[in-house]
Amino acid sequence: MSMDHNSELKKRLDTTFFQIVELRIPNRGDIMRIWRTARNQFDLMDQELVQCRRVNKLSPKYQELEKNLIESLDTIEQYLTFATLLTPNHN
């Protein structure tokens, strides 16, 4: 069992952060708040992973945090897609 699979989630977090920063829309702060919540989920997940490594299996708490993070990232990515399509002069 690989316990470093959250590196892909970290990459998604980083990518969405830079997309949010580059986005030229009003109320960008709203999506940034969603991103901060997702980042907090990742941090909690990372802390729980320490315990998971001790027992060599993913805990239900870790799995719930991971599920919530994935849902948050999906929401952010959808929002970014729509915002990019609706923003004039997008590249």
Side-chain angles (χ1 to χ4, degrees):
M1 166 180 63
S2 171
M3 291 208 192
D4 60 4
H5 64 283
N6 66 6
S7 62
E8 181 59 34
L9 294 174
K10 174 70 166 98
K11 181 180 176 188
R12 285 177 68 187
L13 261 176
D14 291 346
T15 299
T16 55
F17 175 80
F18 290 111
Q19 288 174 326
I20 293 167
V21 168
E22 292 174 4
L23 201 56
R24 304 281 183 244
I25 60 168
N27 303 326
R28 184 172 57 183
D30 293 342
I31 193 166
M32 207 53 190
R33 278 189 284 286
I34 298 169
W35 184 88
R36 280 199 260 337
T37 300
R39 176 60 205 218
N40 185 47
Q41 288 281 37
F42 180 83
D43 291 342
L44 293 171
M45 207 173 84
D46 209 36
Q47 293 169 11
E48 182 64 17
L49 190 58
V50 173
Q51 178 62 27
C52 294
R53 284 186 178 125
R54 288 185 187 134
V55 296
N56 201 31
K57 72 176 196 174
L58 296 178
S59 68
K61 180 180 178 182
Y62 180 91
Q63 293 171 355
E64 182 67 23
L65 290 167
E66 183 180 49
K67 177 180 164 278
N68 291 340
L69 175 59
I70 290 169
E71 289 173 1
S72 292
L73 284 169
D74 289 346
T75 300
I76 293 167
E77 289 165 349
Q78 288 173 4
Y79 187 100
L80 286 168
T81 298
F82 289 127
T84 301
L85 291 173
L86 298 174
T87 302
N89 301 324
H90 69 276
N91 296 336

